[in-house]
Amino acid sequence: MVKISALNSQQRLLQLAKSQLGSIRSVNPATASDAPEQQGNFSDKHHLLAARSGAASSAALTLAQRAERRLQMQRERQQYNLESIMTLALEYCTDQVSTQDVDPDWFQQFCELVLEISNKSMQQLWAKILAGEIASPGKFSLKTLHTLKRMSYKEALALQQAVNLSCKTRQDPSARIYFGYIRKPSLWRVLTGKSRAVLNLNQFGLSYPQILSLIDIGLLHSSEIESGELPAGQVLNWQYQQLHLNGTISSKGVVLQYYKYTASGAELLPLLSSQPNQAYISALKQLLTGIISFS
């Protein structure tokens, strides 16, 4: 094992790749002439897919030769994906340098998991993870890597929508998605029907099927979370994107409801750029006006 000295993040990544993989070639995924996607010039999509699988080989080749050609093309695609992600990771490397080295077992599993990642957006996400791990070894668990491996591009978009609705509080800095509240039953609330209020998150870009998919792959907890009864007079300090909200509980027996990220979900959140949803935060404030006095 080659000892990785105290270098900057890019040098450390290059040395890690050399010690574990032999080397990587600097790749520009958008222009690389040997990209598997650019081999051949077929106008018909079916012919293109057949070429990528190795099935559209010369008729002169035997069945065994065609199988060998398909396996060779697969290995080339995997190597191209790996090198593309390594090159992207170099761009995401920061000046932050840790005194610790990246766990070689972690890096080996990372390389195995990205071999079939060809979607460019997903490659960027994996590259950010590698750059983050170089800067701070141990930041991303192997469990998170395997969770991300299960994630489709569609599920990645769902996670992005969830990030756009995520808040934190000073009392608990873990991100969560607030959607409603419950008040302990009383005769007046039973008569008026005002014991519970919820937001339809679908109106703000996060549908219930998306929530279920994030739960299924282990990024959100499997059930809605309740805050526990909050006493009247308790001060809440929320941060939504760059907006700070301060409020005081004005009603007794209040319980806030939210979705909470798992440990893997929390590790992935900082990798995504969030877009504030003003309609969501305005609707949330209006929903909570009866129980929280905002300053």
Side-chain angles (χ1 to χ4, degrees):
M1 185 59 59
V2 178
K3 176 72 173 177
I4 299 177
S5 57
L7 306 173
N8 66 38
S9 295
Q10 288 188 333
Q11 292 170 327
R12 179 167 292 194
L13 174 55
L14 288 171
Q15 191 167 344
L16 179 64
K18 183 177 181 180
S19 66
Q20 297 293 316
L21 305 175
S23 65
I24 61 171
R25 184 181 62 82
S26 180
V27 179
N28 183 340
T31 61
S33 59
D34 61 343
E37 293 84 352
Q38 298 178 1
Q39 292 181 352
N41 185 24
F42 301 97
S43 59
D44 188 275
K45 292 183 178 179
H46 295 288
H47 288 174
L48 180 57
L49 290 173
R52 289 177 178 175
S53 69
S57 305
S58 170
L61 297 179
T62 66
L63 179 64
Q65 289 172 328
R66 293 197 300 273
E68 179 61 30
R69 182 175 185 273
R70 177 180 60 80
L71 293 175
Q72 178 61 28
M73 292 178 67
Q74 180 185 36
R75 289 192 292 267
E76 290 177 2
R77 284 196 301 271
Q78 291 175 337
Q79 184 66 22
Y80 178 77
N81 291 338
L82 176 60
E83 293 188 2
S84 297
I85 291 172
M86 292 289 176
T87 301
L88 286 171
L90 288 173
E91 299 178 6
Y92 293 129
C93 282
T94 65
D95 294 333
Q96 179 182 348
V97 178
S98 172
T99 58
Q100 291 181 299
D101 296 336
V102 174
D103 183 350
D105 293 333
W106 184 98
F107 183 70
Q108 185 63 38
Q109 289 204 42
F110 176 92
C111 293
E112 292 295 327
L113 290 171
V114 302
L115 292 177
E116 302 296 342
I117 307 299
S118 56
N119 180 278
K120 300 307 178 186
S121 296
M122 296 302 291
Q123 285 186 351
Q124 290 174 347
L125 194 56
W126 281 95
K128 289 179 180 179
I129 285 179
L130 180 56
E133 187 70 13
I134 293 291
S136 179
K139 184 175 184 178
F140 297 98
S141 66
L142 289 174
K143 181 178 180 179
T144 296
L145 296 188
H146 286 276
T147 297
L148 182 58
K149 175 65 175 179
R150 296 171 53 206
M151 186 189 303
S152 66
Y153 180 61
K154 184 177 181 180
E155 290 164 338
L157 293 178
L159 180 60
Q160 179 65 70
Q161 293 297 330
V163 172
N164 293 341
L165 306 182
S166 297
C167 301
K168 297 181 180 180
T169 67
R170 183 178 300 174
Q171 292 81 359
D172 186 348
S174 59
R176 54 193 61 182
I177 306 169
Y178 288 95
F179 65 88
Y181 69 85
I182 298 174
R183 288 193 287 187
K184 293 182 64 176
S186 69
L187 179 59
W188 171 251
R189 288 166 194 157
V190 170
L191 293 175
T192 60
K194 295 181 179 179
S195 61
R196 187 182 184 198
V198 297
L199 284 178
N200 180 4
L201 296 179
N202 186 53
Q203 298 177 359
F204 311 105
L206 183 62
S207 66
Y208 190 63
Q210 287 177 315
I211 292 173
L212 291 179
S213 69
L214 294 178
I215 291 173
D216 183 60
I217 61 175
L219 296 179
L220 287 177
H221 284 286
S222 59
S223 60
E224 302 168 354
I225 308 296
E226 296 182 356
S227 64
E229 186 176 341
L230 301 174
Q234 178 172 331
V235 176
L236 297 177
N237 305 105
W238 286 351
Q239 180 177 351
Y240 174 69
Q241 316 293 346
Q242 302 302 317
L243 177 65
H244 294 272
L245 296 174
N246 298 315
T248 304
I249 301 295
S250 58
S251 180
K252 295 181 180 180
V254 171
V255 175
L256 297 179
Q257 294 181 294
Y258 55 87
Y259 293 105
K260 187 175 181 179
Y261 294 93
T262 62
S264 294
E267 288 183 9
L268 293 177
L269 288 190
L271 301 177
L272 302 174
S273 57
S274 57
Q275 300 293 328
N277 189 320
Q278 189 58 49
Y280 164 72
I281 198 63
S282 297
L284 182 62
K285 287 179 64 177
Q286 183 176 357
L287 181 81
L288 300 177
T289 296
I291 62 169
I292 299 178
S293 298
F294 290 101
S295 57

